[in-house]
Amino acid sequence: MPSALRRKAAPVTAAAALACALACAAAPPAASSSGDVRVRVGVTGGPYTASVGLVVTGPRTLFGGFYCAADGLAPTPLTALVDADEQYGLGGVRARWDAATQDFVVTEIHGDAAEGKKKWNAYVNEEKIKKGPCHTAIKGGDKIRWTLE
């Protein structure tokens, strides 16, 4: 009867074990996506006012299939608004694509429509954005406010 073959395991040195332990301990926690951030979102201006807790947002495709990301990588006030609506149920967000600015224009939040001279404006940390809502980068900890004015 043939004998079973046995292999000896290579000895693990203390240095190799320490290197493995340090590498495993230093590994960062997994994130949802490399561009995801957590922000606060508020909506004011019409009969509906909301302030939601932390929203996880990141660059993404919106509405008619247009990709919304500042500089192609960063989340934006609009992605934060849409994600707040999906995560907390703000009652719906509508926007139209403006070919001239190559950006979205928010037309309605929770049934409060931008009509006549009133329009939805975005603020990041209480400063009105100067670029369109898909061309303005936001970062973790920012406070995003949409106001009908």
Side-chain angles (χ1 to χ4, degrees):
M1 214 156 147
S3 64
L5 294 174
R6 289 192 179 173
R7 297 178 74 186
K8 256 188 166 180
V12 176
T13 65
L18 179 60
C20 179
L22 288 175
C24 293
S32 311
S33 169
S34 61
D36 284 354
V37 299
R38 294 180 190 276
V39 297
R40 296 195 181 279
V41 176
V43 177
T44 61
Y48 176 75
T49 299
S51 182
V52 298
L54 290 177
V55 174
V56 176
T57 190
R60 60 183 282 189
T61 301
L62 298 175
F63 306 112
F66 293 97
Y67 190 67
C68 184
D71 302 322
L73 301 171
T76 69
L78 187 54
T79 61
L81 176 64
V82 171
D83 288 333
D85 182 43
E86 290 177 2
Q87 294 170 31
Y88 292 95
L90 298 180
V93 173
R94 293 179 189 242
R96 66 173 171 78
W97 180 254
D98 183 10
T101 62
Q102 292 292 293
D103 210 331
F104 286 100
V105 175
V106 174
T107 58
E108 187 177 304
I109 301 173
H110 191 79
D112 294 334
E115 299 173 320
K117 293 185 179 185
K118 287 188 171 186
K119 66 179 191 173
W120 283 103
N121 291 304
Y123 291 79
V124 177
N125 299 322
E126 298 307 320
E127 185 175 321
K128 188 175 178 180
I129 65 172
K130 293 174 178 60
K131 300 178 188 178
C134 282
H135 290 106
T136 302
I138 61 172
K139 62 188 181 318
D142 281 349
K143 181 181 175 188
I144 314 306
R145 179 171 51 93
W146 285 86
T147 303
L148 184 60
E149 42 191 27

